Amino acid sequence: MMMTSCLTPPKCAMASSSANTTINNSNGNYVHNYKKAFMPQRELRYQEITHSMPSQKIEIFKYLEDWAEHNILIHLKPVHKCWQPQDFLPDSRTTGDTDGFLEQVKELRERAKEIPDDYYVVLVGNMITEDALPTYQTMLNTLDGVQDETGSSPISWAVWNRAWTAEENRHGDLLNKYLYLTGRVDMSQIERTIQYLITYGMDPGGENNPYLGFIYTSFQERATAISHGNTAKLAKEHGDLKLAQICGTIASDEKRHEAAYTKIVAKLFELDPDFTVISLAHMMKKQITMPAHLMYDGRDHHLFHHFSSVAQRLGVYTTNDYADILELLLSAWKVETLTGLSPEGRKAQDYVCGLAPRIRKLEERVQLRDKRPLTSVPISWIFGRQVRVI
């Protein structure tokens, strides 16, 4: 799941992450504020709104349980047919052949030497995003009407959430192990960033509303597929065909998941077009916030901005990609041809159908105005070496 964002990141709050933060209590004495140590270092984008979907619409998702079994679960693969991280890594399974394993590691590290630092910044950012998977399953399980209420519920929505999570889990595992073996990155700083990100969570503005949640995941899976696909192309250009295969395989998974989420929203447009197009406009006005936007490594309060800036510069994920995704989804959901909408629905339709051209024009103006030279910043993931950012 992914990924980077070329949009303006949330304002950073330069608060200390120390558990020894103190506050005044009612008696005028200072006490430790342990809770603050586990809260994001930046302001959240959205005012907290919960359970915004009208309760009667939960019946739609109950009605769709059988439909989801036959139309959504087909986008999953049985475990015995899934690839596993070991399929792409030096093979340590053969006992007594230590030399063979070490030779494979040596070959991997030789290939890794040819890849520049800025590529590793993007690859690490993608991996950290994937490794924060517990947050994403938690978010999906807050959506009204589609929760896994027992942890092993047999309803189709719950089966999808668990199996989707299991498939996604392989992505972070594979990239994490591969990056560790390269010797090119500081795994201690990367692991610290992952822990911070899972601790801080995410702020997508979903409001426990499955309409908003599934619109978000449709967009996000497409963004992830683009990002991993482009890192695959760059790896090939730098001569690491195995890494290109890894990133391409992950991108293929993301496209399959995108198809499922896009299909869910298409069904909502079929059954409830007015509320769905209003929900789409509501989500797009918020902007699609990337799942790792709260990343922090204990040092850089602008880490996500620096990561996404490198991704933009390398063409891994850009503002134009954001506009392309929106246009693709509008076409898939036939938003422009919707009829019989309420006045509010027609207003939402007009807004979303005109949004992509506005995004492109805004980006063109930004590019024309922004003539500042690139600056360099240290990134802890690559041992503090400098990379250029926009």
Side-chain angles (χ1 to χ4, degrees), residues 341-359:
L341 300 174
S342 67
E344 186 181 1
R346 290 195 298 272
K347 184 177 179 180
Q349 182 185 39
D350 290 341
Y351 171 76
V352 295
C353 289
L355 185 55
R358 290 199 296 273
I359 292 172

Side-chain angles (χ1 to χ4, degrees), residues 277-349:
V277 74
I278 291 170
S279 299
L280 176 59
H282 183 49
M283 197 75 238
M284 297 313 301
K285 285 176 182 177
K286 292 184 175 189
Q287 299 178 350
I288 300 296
T289 305
M290 300 304 159
H293 69 282
L294 296 178
M295 67 166 53
Y296 178 60
D297 61 352
R299 301 178 184 178
D300 185 356
H301 292 277
H302 302 272
L303 182 58
F304 178 76
H305 172 66
H306 293 149
F307 158 53
S308 58
S309 177
V310 176
Q312 168 95 354
R313 179 169 61 79
L314 296 184
V316 168
Y317 185 74
T318 69
T319 301
N320 283 329
D321 290 323
Y322 187 97
D324 287 345
I325 295 170
L326 177 57
E327 288 180 334
L328 182 145
L329 293 176
L330 292 176
S331 175
W333 296 330
K334 301 179 174 60
V335 175
E336 192 172 357
T337 61
L338 293 174
T339 59
L341 300 174
S342 67
E344 186 181 1
R346 290 195 298 272
K347 184 177 179 180
Q349 182 185 39

Side-chain angles (χ1 to χ4, degrees), residues 89-353:
L89 297 168
D91 194 345
S92 60
R93 291 173 294 182
T94 304
T95 57
D97 188 22
T98 304
D99 291 342
F101 171 71
L102 293 178
E103 186 62 31
Q104 292 176 55
V105 173
K106 182 180 178 181
E107 291 174 1
L108 185 156
R109 292 169 71 93
E110 286 298 317
R111 295 193 305 270
K113 289 180 181 178
E114 304 302 317
I115 299 178
D117 281 342
D118 51 6
Y119 178 88
Y120 279 108
V121 170
V122 175
L123 189 64
V124 168
N126 285 359
M127 180 271 282
I128 288 170
T129 304
E130 297 284 356
D131 256 356
L133 186 62
T135 296
Y136 316 141
Q137 184 181 27
T138 299
M139 187 277 287
L140 286 173
N141 212 35
T142 67
L143 301 180
D144 292 333
V146 295
Q147 305 101 323
D148 184 350
E149 294 184 342
T150 67
S152 58
S153 169
I155 70 168
S156 299
W157 301 115
V159 171
W160 167 265
N161 286 349
R162 294 195 304 271
W164 170 85
T165 300
E167 289 195 353
E168 288 279 344
N169 188 63
R170 300 167 303 146
H171 301 170
D173 279 354
L174 175 54
L175 292 175
N176 191 310
K177 291 172 183 174
Y178 193 91
L179 283 162
Y180 168 71
L181 291 173
T182 67
R184 289 289 304 275
V185 296
D186 186 338
M187 289 305 300
S188 177
Q189 278 301 117
I190 290 169
E191 290 158 356
R192 185 170 289 112
T193 307
I194 294 167
Q195 185 173 355
Y196 271 118
L197 184 55
I198 296 173
T199 298
Y200 292 165
M202 64 185 295
D203 181 29
E207 303 175 10
N208 309 107
N209 184 333
Y211 286 79
L212 300 179
F214 289 138
I215 288 167
Y216 178 87
T217 51
S218 298
F219 196 105
Q220 196 55 57
E221 293 285 1
R222 181 68 180 180
T224 308
I226 290 171
S227 186
H228 284 300
N230 285 330
T231 55
K233 292 176 184 176
L234 288 175
K236 186 176 182 180
E237 290 175 9
H238 293 306
D240 193 334
L241 299 183
K242 176 59 69 173
L243 181 55
Q245 182 188 18
I246 287 170
C247 295
T249 300
I250 293 172
S252 180
D253 268 4
E254 305 293 1
K255 289 178 181 178
R256 182 160 47 83
H257 298 158
E258 172 205 346
Y261 286 120
T262 303
K263 189 184 290 186
I264 293 171
V265 179
K267 191 65 174 179
L268 293 176
F269 268 110
E270 176 187 327
L271 297 176
D272 190 10
D274 202 65
F275 190 78
T276 306
V277 74
I278 291 170
S279 299
L280 176 59
H282 183 49
M283 197 75 238
M284 297 313 301
K285 285 176 182 177
K286 292 184 175 189
Q287 299 178 350
I288 300 296
T289 305
M290 300 304 159
H293 69 282
L294 296 178
M295 67 166 53
Y296 178 60
D297 61 352
R299 301 178 184 178
D300 185 356
H301 292 277
H302 302 272
L303 182 58
F304 178 76
H305 172 66
H306 293 149
F307 158 53
S308 58
S309 177
V310 176
Q312 168 95 354
R313 179 169 61 79
L314 296 184
V316 168
Y317 185 74
T318 69
T319 301
N320 283 329
D321 290 323
Y322 187 97
D324 287 345
I325 295 170
L326 177 57
E327 288 180 334
L328 182 145
L329 293 176
L330 292 176
S331 175
W333 296 330
K334 301 179 174 60
V335 175
E336 192 172 357
T337 61
L338 293 174
T339 59
L341 300 174
S342 67
E344 186 181 1
R346 290 195 298 272
K347 184 177 179 180
Q349 182 185 39
D350 290 341
Y351 171 76
V352 295
C353 289

